Amino acid sequence: MTIEYKDSKRIVASGIGTELGGVGGWKELGRFTSSSASVSITTPTLANKRYLMILGDARYVSSESALTPRFLFNGDTGSNYAERRSLDGGSDTTAVSQPEIVLGSNNITSPAFTVGYVSNLASKEKLVTGNINLQNTAGAGTAPQRSEYVGKWANTSNAISTVTFKNYGTRQFDTGSEIVVLGWDPADTHTSNFW
């Protein structure tokens, strides 16, 4: 970066951005968009990164009773997850020894978008924190809903290599539902950034 001192005592810098993002930063690791209605969507195999950001776009199928978005990791459907969540700042709901992490309300009847963050060290339980925003009723006359969630995957042997965004039971996400996983590692030296 070049810095010039102008006679009006303004500092002018050129080359800004060439040094930014040179160490660390979010990088897209995997993405899957459903081409048809589906109970779950799973990323391709992910590179091992210390931290993950998961973006999920859940589209509601009007013929289904409701959405109940969930995460599970590496295809593990055993009772290896625990969670805590609240809807619109209300009382916490907790669950232990679960087959996945529930992200919000159990009965969502509108589109939803989630952002979750995961600490992904292979030798430690994977801690998750995130938010999900729910359209609620269409139109400006109704405020959207929000849900906060925290959870953990009690695996201490493996880093996360796939993320599945799934619905409850046989309920389906609509076509166009999507999951995107970003990874961040302080040792990365890439200069391109997902954003």
Side-chain angles (χ1 to χ4, degrees):
M1 177 170 64
T2 304
I3 298 176
E4 298 176 33
Y5 297 90
K6 299 293 184 181
D7 58 357
S8 62
K9 298 186 179 163
R10 288 182 301 126
I11 298 174
V12 178
S14 61
I16 293 175
T18 57
E19 296 83 11
L20 301 177
V23 177
W26 293 108
K27 181 177 182 179
E28 185 175 321
L29 302 179
R31 169 190 301 258
F32 186 84
T33 306
S34 63
S35 57
S36 61
S38 177
V39 172
S40 64
I41 51 179
T42 302
T43 64
T45 301
L46 306 169
N48 183 359
K49 296 295 178 184
R50 181 66 179 85
Y51 302 100
L52 303 177
M53 181 191 309
I54 306 170
L55 309 174
D57 179 11
R59 310 267 175 107
Y60 174 64
V61 178
S62 60
S63 61
E64 298 285 351
S65 57
L67 280 173
T68 308
R70 299 149 187 262
F71 287 149
L72 64 93
F73 306 120
N74 295 9
D76 181 2
T77 58
S79 299
N80 298 313
Y81 303 86
E83 67 192 48
R84 179 181 301 272
R85 64 186 190 279
S86 69
L87 179 64
D88 290 332
S91 299
D92 285 358
T93 299
T94 61
V96 297
S97 300
Q98 297 297 301
E100 67 261 312
I101 297 172
V102 178
L103 307 184
S105 169
N106 285 325
N107 296 298
I108 301 168
T109 55
S110 63
F113 180 75
T114 187
V115 179
Y117 298 92
V118 184
S119 176
N120 187 35
L121 185 60
S123 62
K124 302 290 184 185
E125 292 184 333
K126 313 313 174 276
L127 298 178
V128 180
T129 184
N131 294 282
I132 188 165
N133 302 315
L134 320 167
Q135 175 186 310
N136 203 348
T137 304
T142 306
Q145 291 182 295
R146 63 180 166 83
S147 183
E148 298 82 30
Y149 59 87
V150 294
K152 67 178 179 177
W153 180 39
N155 180 300
T156 57
S157 302
N158 307 99
I160 294 170
S161 59
T162 61
V163 177
T164 300
F165 192 36
K166 70 178 296 273
N167 209 340
Y168 174 72
T170 59
R171 296 175 186 170
Q172 298 186 83
F173 294 125
D174 205 356
T175 302
S177 293
E178 183 173 53
I179 184 170
V180 178
V181 179
L182 310 178
W184 189 85
D185 189 319
D188 280 350
T189 57
H190 61 82
T191 55
S192 61
N193 195 307
F194 169 83
W195 301 111

